[in-house]
Amino acid sequence: MESKRVSDTRLVMAQRMTPNDANYLGNVFGGAILALIDLAAASVSTRFARETCVTASFDRVDFLKPVEIGDLVELEGYISFVGRTSMEVIVDVHATNLIHDERRHVNTARVTMVAIRDGRPKEVPRLICETRDEKLRFLEGRLRREVRQERLKENEANRVALHAASDEDLDRLLAFDGPLKLMLSTLS
């Protein structure tokens, strides 16, 4: 399978935000931005893998500044990390007030996509990291995946401990105002 360079995975999309995208406060609804991020991530990953790709998870989405109706929203996506069948796509979102020509960074998202063929995960190409930043982003993506896997195991163990707790233990946990994780370890 052919390897691909990070620089070859970059894709830019743009869309002008309209009143149909507004929330109750008159800004662009966060869900409209999430939909654009998902579309960008799907486009980047599908072009990279040359397979249909589906969203596995949104690892992190930071809404830094509001997007106004009338702004031009630009999404730049690129592959930062690949596993065997999955890819992490980073999508940076900028909004530009076209009248005042003011561009601002409003959002960054990390989306895990999985290549699919015939309903099953499909192996993806390897990623060639050429610059220091690309190498750092790849290793950060790998670290995020490892931390996510550890967190899932820990969350499941905590869920099992909660469900096994007696009613008295649950009452103690409800009354406890400190870190719940520490208190879980004291359950009998």
Side-chain angles (χ1 to χ4, degrees):
M1 180 172 290
E2 179 183 331
S3 298
K4 297 183 180 182
R5 299 179 311 160
V6 172
S7 58
D8 293 331
T9 71
R10 292 196 183 278
L11 178 111
V12 177
M13 297 172 46
Q15 182 168 322
R16 184 103 185 257
M17 305 316 294
T18 68
N20 286 340
D21 301 310
N23 64 18
Y24 292 110
L25 299 175
N27 296 320
V28 172
F29 180 56
I33 301 297
L34 288 173
L36 291 174
I37 290 169
D38 196 36
L39 182 61
S43 299
V44 168
S45 58
T46 298
R47 185 171 75 177
F48 174 77
R50 296 287 186 236
E51 298 286 348
T52 298
C53 293
V54 297
T55 307
S57 68
F58 273 73
D59 183 61
R60 182 161 189 108
V61 181
D62 295 315
F63 292 96
L64 306 173
K65 297 177 184 170
V67 176
E68 308 291 330
I69 301 305
D71 282 350
L72 178 69
V73 171
E74 296 171 89
L75 302 97
E76 180 181 4
Y78 54 91
I79 303 286
S80 57
F81 170 76
V82 297
R84 192 176 67 75
T85 62
S86 65
M87 301 141 281
E88 179 184 76
V89 180
I90 294 179
V91 180
D92 290 314
V93 184
H94 291 85
T96 302
N97 178 310
L98 296 172
I99 294 172
H100 300 291
D101 198 28
E102 296 169 352
R103 187 173 194 254
R104 60 204 185 280
H105 179 235
V106 298
N107 198 302
T108 296
R110 291 174 183 85
V111 186
T112 300
M113 305 295 293
V114 175
I116 301 289
R117 183 190 293 167
D118 300 324
R120 306 204 34 91
K122 174 76 172 99
E123 194 168 331
V124 298
R126 299 299 91 208
L127 188 65
I128 301 169
C129 300
E130 299 174 304
T131 70
R132 178 176 175 80
D133 283 344
E134 290 170 356
K135 292 171 186 176
L136 286 169
R137 282 192 296 264
F138 186 92
L139 293 170
E140 288 168 350
R142 184 170 150 193
L143 185 58
R144 274 189 294 275
R145 181 179 69 172
E146 290 172 7
V147 168
R148 268 193 314 271
Q149 289 170 343
E150 289 171 14
R151 191 176 62 226
L152 286 171
K153 288 178 187 173
E154 184 179 320
N155 285 344
E156 179 59 17
N158 288 336
R159 189 190 73 72
V160 168
L162 278 174
H163 283 263
S166 68
D167 285 343
E168 293 79 23
D169 286 336
L170 294 176
D171 289 337
R172 280 190 14 238
L173 290 171
L174 286 169
F176 184 67
D177 199 25
L180 190 57
K181 185 174 161 183
L182 294 177
M183 189 69 168
L184 280 175
S185 64
T186 68
L187 294 180
S188 48

